[in-house]
């Protein structure tokens, strides 16, 4: 099964971020993780694409999901 | 969508209380449906954990994943799903749980472990700058404020733990308490009360948060002399307590004066067949191990109820 490109902006200890990664791994969805902790450029990019600073920010193709929303994530990935 | 299965137990919440309840119920071969919004629960955002018996040092995510793995051993009787419960009703002996999607599920009992959500300051700027400098989760967001000046509003244990997390990250930390001294446990306060980069401001009431695109500061009032002051900060962590998540059951149950669900030592509430466990109850000690213990008791009580009543 092919998926759109997925990227997650995270911080190390964030629980919602880990839950998101677990969900993607469970369904064998490849993703790129971008740890924004301590990196102002990556944080700036995250704010640019999502309009806010909360993590996780999940980019699925061209769609942006803010926070752990299993229903929306599954819908966008057709899971 | 209406699910036609009548479950023995429907558990709301997927944290330590709910997972423990589910495991105990599963071992009695009771059918369980778990509905929650975060697998593993809010314990995920606990950061470092040093008081979960058997684990000298772990963290919220590691513990949550272990609990879920154990839960996974019982997939034959436990169905776990994502959902936002909006309402629970009782008709005769049957409970109907409805989610925000209007899906409905029926069960003979409920174990309610929906936890709490952070209390808001309810001051100007707080909503406007939520996730634009205002945060309710230091575990999640502290790393975003590396090298910046930040404020923690709330001098209890949660606030103190936020300061400890931020000590390794932020440049200057202010912790504001509306009383004469921080109410956090002294052992936590001892981590930072001599740190020159941490300033403790007592007798302070936060008035507003302001900024441009993101937070640039806050204003507070000194309760004793009524003088107003501002702090130049890029982050504000709100840690002034939490409110039990009881909206779905507000017409079903009785609550205490703090809005929590009174549950006896067996997890029983004011409604027969409705059990509660964890931080959503009038629990004195909001600790992970206590929540798990309550989950166990609630499941055993539900099992006993089912064998006697149904």
């Amino acid at each position: 099964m092919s998926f759109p490109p997925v990227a997650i902006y995270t911080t190390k200890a964030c629980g919602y971020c880990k839950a998101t990664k677990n969900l993607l791994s469970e369904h064998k969805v490849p993703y790129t993780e971008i740890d924004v902790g301590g990196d102002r450029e990556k944080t700036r990019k995250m704010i640019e694409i999502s309009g806010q600073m909360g993590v996780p920010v999940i980019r699925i193709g061209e769609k942006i999901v803010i926070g752990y929303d299993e229903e929306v994530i599954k819908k966008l990935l057709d899971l | 969508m209406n699910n036609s299965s009548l479950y023995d137990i429907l558990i709301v919440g997927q944290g330590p209380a709910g997972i423990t309840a589910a495991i105990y119920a599963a071992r009695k071969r009771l059918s369980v449906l778990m509905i929650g919004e975060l697998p593993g629960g809010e314990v995920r955002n606990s950061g470092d954990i040093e008081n979960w018996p058997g684990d000298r040092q772990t963290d919220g995510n590691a513990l949550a994943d272990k609990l879920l793995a154990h839960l996974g051993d019982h997939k034959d009787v436990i169905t776990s799903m994502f959902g936002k419960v909006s309402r629970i009703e009782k008709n005769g002996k049957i409970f109907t749980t409805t989610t925000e999607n209007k899906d409905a599920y029926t069960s003979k009992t409920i174990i309610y472990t929906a936890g709490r959500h952070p209390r808001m300051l309810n001051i100007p700027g707080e909503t406007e700058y939520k996730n634009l400098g205002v945060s309710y989760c230091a575990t999640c967001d502290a790393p975003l404020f590396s090298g910046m000046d930040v404020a923690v509003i709330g001098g209890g244990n949660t606030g103190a733990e936020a300061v400890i997390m931020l000590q390794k990250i932020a440049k200057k930390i202010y912790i504001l308490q509306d009383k004469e001294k921080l109410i956090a446990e002294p052992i936590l306060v001892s981590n930072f009360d001599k740190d020159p980069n941490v300033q403790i401001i007592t007798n302070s009431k936060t008035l507003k948060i302001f900024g441009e695109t993101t937070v640039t500061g806050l204003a507070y009032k000194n309760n004793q002399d009524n003088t107003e002051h501002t702090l130049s900060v890029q982050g504000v962590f709100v840690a002034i307590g939490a409110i039990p998540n009881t909206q779905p059951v507000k017409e079903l149950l009785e609550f205490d004066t703090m809005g929590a669900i009174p549950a006896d030592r067996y997890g029983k509430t004011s409604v027969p067949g409705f059990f509660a466990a964890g931080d959503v109850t009038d629990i004195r000690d909001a600790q992970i191990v206590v929540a798990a213990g309550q989950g166990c008791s609630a499941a055993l009580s539900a099992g006993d109820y089912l064998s006697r009543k149904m």
Side-chain angles (χ1 to χ4, degrees):
Chain A
M1 189 169 180
S2 76
F3 299 105
V6 177
I8 324 175
Y9 293 81
T10 64
T11 57
K12 259 196 185 41
C14 158
Y16 304 104
C17 305
K18 185 61 164 62
T20 305
K21 291 189 284 183
N22 286 354
L23 177 66
L24 295 173
S25 297
E26 183 191 342
H27 293 281
K28 298 185 174 32
V29 178
Y31 63 87
T32 303
E33 181 175 7
I34 302 157
D35 182 347
V36 297
D39 190 317
R40 298 217 182 173
E41 179 50 32
K42 288 176 183 168
T43 302
R44 186 202 64 76
K45 180 69 183 174
M46 182 182 77
I47 297 173
E48 182 187 300
I49 67 168
S50 70
Q52 55 87 63
M53 292 168 80
V55 285
V57 168
I58 308 124
R59 179 179 230 159
I60 301 174
E62 294 306 310
K63 302 277 190 210
I64 300 293
V65 182
I66 297 169
Y68 178 79
D69 191 328
E70 185 174 315
E71 195 176 309
V72 168
I73 293 168
K74 279 181 164 175
K75 202 168 179 177
L76 289 172
L77 290 167
D78 203 20
L79 296 174
Chain B
M1 178 180 97
N2 282 344
N3 185 312
S4 58
S5 300
L6 174 62
Y7 293 93
D8 290 319
I9 304 177
L10 190 146
I11 298 175
V12 179
Q14 295 170 317
I19 291 174
T20 305
I23 290 168
Y24 270 80
R27 286 166 59 82
K28 287 178 168 292
R29 310 307 294 165
L30 298 170
S31 62
V32 175
L33 174 64
M34 289 184 86
I35 305 179
E37 297 178 42
L38 180 64
E42 279 297 329
V43 75
R44 283 200 175 279
N45 295 315
S46 295
D48 291 333
I49 296 170
E50 295 177 348
N51 54 11
W52 176 258
D55 261 318
R56 290 195 183 96
Q57 197 152 42
T58 185
D59 64 71
N61 278 315
L63 179 55
D65 287 344
K66 275 194 219 176
L67 292 170
L68 288 168
H70 194 168
L71 184 76
D73 289 349
H74 301 284
K75 276 189 198 142
D76 54 334
V77 288
I78 298 175
T79 303
S80 192
M81 56 170 277
F82 175 83
K84 299 178 187 181
V85 171
S86 58
R87 188 175 168 85
I88 302 178
E89 299 166 288
K90 188 179 184 188
N91 294 300
K93 289 184 177 175
I94 304 299
F95 292 91
T96 301
T97 299
T98 309
T99 64
E100 281 187 357
N101 291 346
K102 309 283 186 244
D103 295 331
Y105 304 90
T106 53
S107 61
K108 300 173 189 174
T109 63
I110 299 279
I111 298 179
Y112 195 77
T113 71
R116 303 176 182 172
H117 63 274
R119 183 183 302 275
M120 293 181 68
L121 289 160
N122 291 317
I123 59 172
E126 183 183 18
T127 303
E128 185 185 350
Y129 289 105
K130 184 181 173 187
N131 291 334
L132 287 169
V134 174
S135 169
Y136 301 87
C137 179
T139 308
C140 309
D141 298 330
L144 293 160
F145 298 91
S146 175
M148 301 184 198
D149 295 349
V150 299
V152 174
I153 316 293
N157 285 351
T158 304
E161 284 165 359
V163 172
I164 294 165
M165 260 182 249
L166 286 159
Q167 275 181 294
K168 302 172 205 148
I169 296 168
K171 187 167 141 210
K172 173 87 179 180
I173 306 162
Y174 301 95
I175 174 165
L176 283 74
Q177 170 79 71
D178 59 352
K179 296 176 177 46
E180 278 187 359
K181 54 183 244 179
L182 299 181
I183 60 173
E185 289 171 10
I187 191 167
L188 292 175
V189 177
S190 68
N191 282 284
F192 57 79
D193 60 353
K194 305 229 177 344
D195 185 339
N197 296 324
V198 178
Q199 183 174 339
I200 299 172
I201 303 175
T202 54
N203 295 306
S204 59
K205 178 181 163 63
T206 310
L207 300 172
K208 65 178 178 185
I209 298 165
F210 52 82
E212 295 166 11
T213 319
T214 55
V215 167
T216 58
L218 63 83
Y220 70 92
K221 183 173 82 166
N222 182 296
N223 288 336
Q224 297 200 308
D225 61 18
N226 285 321
T227 54
E228 292 190 11
H229 308 265
T230 58
L231 296 173
S232 175
V233 291
Q234 289 77 56
V236 177
F237 290 84
V238 181
I240 56 167
I243 298 171
N245 294 320
T246 56
Q247 185 67 20
V249 294
K250 66 179 173 37
E251 289 171 27
L252 181 63
L253 296 177
E254 291 170 7
F255 303 99
D256 71 5
T257 54
M258 303 299 286
I261 299 174
D264 72 8
R265 69 175 83 174
Y266 307 108
K268 291 181 191 169
T269 67
S270 56
V271 171
F274 193 109
F275 304 91
D279 291 0
V280 75
T281 71
D282 58 346
I283 190 171
R284 186 193 72 171
D285 305 311
Q287 299 291 306
I288 307 164
V289 68
V290 174
Q294 283 195 323
C296 162
S297 293
L300 294 174
S301 295
D304 185 55
Y305 174 89
L306 287 165
S307 67
R308 287 168 195 270
K309 298 282 186 191
M310 306 296 294

